[in-house]
Amino acid sequence: MTEIPDLKVTPDRYLTYRYAGASGDFNPIHIDEEFATSVGLPGRILHGLWTMAQVARAVSAAGDGPEALRRLSVQFRGMGFPEQELTVSASVKEVAGDTAVVEAEVVQDGRRIIRKGEAELRMG
C-alpha cells in the first residue's frame, strides 16, 4: 500500500457554529455547550459531515484534486471535539485502470472517530 501524507487539522472553538450555518445542521449538541453536557456529552461535538469532509480533503490529495473523487464512504465510530487536533491517515489500497481505491481513518486524542473509510479516485 502507498501511504498518503497525513492531514492534521485542529478545529477551532467556533467551527461548530460556522459549520452549523453552512450545513443547516443546528442540532444543539453541536452549538450549545450547556445542552450537550445536559444530555451526557462532555461538551459540544463536531458535525460528522465536517469530519467526513476532512477525509475527502486528505484522499483528494492523492488524486487530481476534489473533482477526482468518485465515491466516499466511512463508518462513524466516535465523537470529535473542537480544539483537539485530528489526524486523517490514508493509503492507496489498489489501482485498477484509471481508478485508485484509498482507505482512510480519523484519529483524535488516540480515539478512532472514523474507521473503514474508503474512497475511489479517478487518476490521470
Side-chain angles (χ1 to χ4, degrees):
M1 282 202 250
T2 303
E3 297 295 315
I4 296 169
D6 287 349
L7 172 64
K8 294 184 181 286
V9 179
T10 302
D12 67 58
R13 70 182 318 159
Y14 301 109
L15 174 83
T16 60
Y17 303 109
R18 292 191 313 274
Y19 198 77
S23 68
D25 180 354
F26 293 94
N27 186 321
I29 62 175
H30 302 303
I31 57 175
D32 185 332
E33 193 80 28
E34 187 175 312
F35 178 84
T37 57
S38 76
V39 296
L41 299 173
R44 291 178 295 111
I45 63 172
L46 298 173
H47 295 77
L49 188 59
W50 180 86
T51 308
M52 184 177 176
Q54 304 318 299
V55 175
R57 276 180 63 195
V59 301
S60 294
D64 295 326
E67 61 279 351
L69 185 61
R70 291 182 172 169
R71 182 180 66 81
L72 177 63
S73 66
V74 302
Q75 288 184 1
F76 298 102
R77 291 295 182 197
M79 295 175 283
F81 300 97
E83 300 185 279
Q84 296 179 26
E85 182 179 72
L86 58 85
T87 302
V88 182
S89 301
S91 57
V92 178
K93 182 170 124 178
E94 68 180 77
V95 177
D98 72 340
T99 302
V101 177
V102 178
E103 295 178 330
E105 72 175 19
V106 178
V107 175
Q108 187 182 57
D109 196 30
R111 297 170 293 104
R112 284 192 297 173
I113 61 174
I114 287 183
R115 297 188 324 171
K116 296 188 179 183
E118 186 174 275
E120 288 182 2
L121 297 171
R122 184 188 72 250
M123 304 302 289

